[in-house]
Amino acid sequence: MSTVHSCEFEVFGKVQGVYFRRHAEMKAKTLGLRGWCMNTADGTVKGYIEGPRTEVNLMKEWLRNTGSPTSNIVRAEFTRDEEKRDYGFKNFQIRPDAPKENNRKMTNRENNMTKWEHDS
C-alpha cells in the first residue's frame, strides 16, 4: 500500500452559510480523499484530509483559492503534512457544527433576566 498523507485545515472568510462544507465534501470525494469538515463557533470551517500526496495538495489549493461559488476565502491554514501507513477514515464527511453557546453574547433581555433572577 502507498503512503497516506494527511493534514488538518482551517479556512477563514465568508465560509459559513454558503455551502462551503458541501462543496468541500464533493471536491474531496472527487479526489478520492477521506476525512471530515465542520463549521466552528468562530465562523471558520475546519477539517482533516488524508490521501495520496498529489490529491491532498490539490485539495489544499482548492481550500485556499476556490471554495464554494459564493464563498469569500480570506486565508486557509494547514498543519504540517504527516505520512501514515493506513487511512484513519473510510470516507469524507461533514461533521455537525461546533456548539456556539459558549461564544454567544447575551442579549440585553437575557442579561436583564439573569440580573433579576439573581436579585430575587
Side-chain angles (χ1 to χ4, degrees):
M1 176 178 244
S2 62
T3 303
V4 176
H5 294 265
S6 66
C7 72
E8 295 177 31
F9 65 86
E10 188 166 11
V11 184
F12 298 80
K14 184 182 175 189
V15 293
Q16 290 189 9
V18 292
Y19 299 98
F20 189 92
R21 293 172 302 153
R22 183 70 55 214
H23 284 268
E25 178 186 39
M26 290 186 301
K27 183 65 173 179
K29 287 181 175 180
T30 298
L31 293 171
L33 298 175
R34 303 178 188 189
W36 56 270
C37 67
M38 67 185 286
N39 284 338
T40 70
D42 296 325
T44 65
V45 171
K46 70 176 183 177
Y48 171 86
I49 49 176
E50 61 182 18
R53 180 192 311 260
T54 301
E55 284 74 10
V56 167
N57 287 337
L58 288 169
M59 185 69 182
K60 285 176 161 182
E61 189 67 22
W62 185 91
L63 291 165
R64 233 185 248 115
N65 298 308
T66 306
S68 65
T70 55
S71 65
N72 183 13
I73 300 165
V74 172
R75 77 179 188 277
E77 297 177 355
F78 304 90
T79 60
R80 180 183 294 258
D81 282 8
E82 292 188 22
E83 291 185 16
K84 306 180 338 178
R85 292 184 64 176
D86 296 312
Y87 283 96
F89 292 86
K90 293 184 179 188
N91 57 25
F92 192 93
Q93 61 186 4
I94 296 172
R95 289 188 172 174
D97 294 355
K100 293 184 181 183
E101 197 61 33
N102 293 342
N103 291 346
R104 187 173 69 83
K105 292 185 178 181
M106 295 176 94
T107 64
N108 285 337
R109 184 165 191 261
E110 288 172 323
N111 200 16
N112 290 336
M113 290 290 286
T114 303
K115 287 179 186 174
W116 181 80
E117 291 169 357
H118 290 291
D119 292 340
S120 298

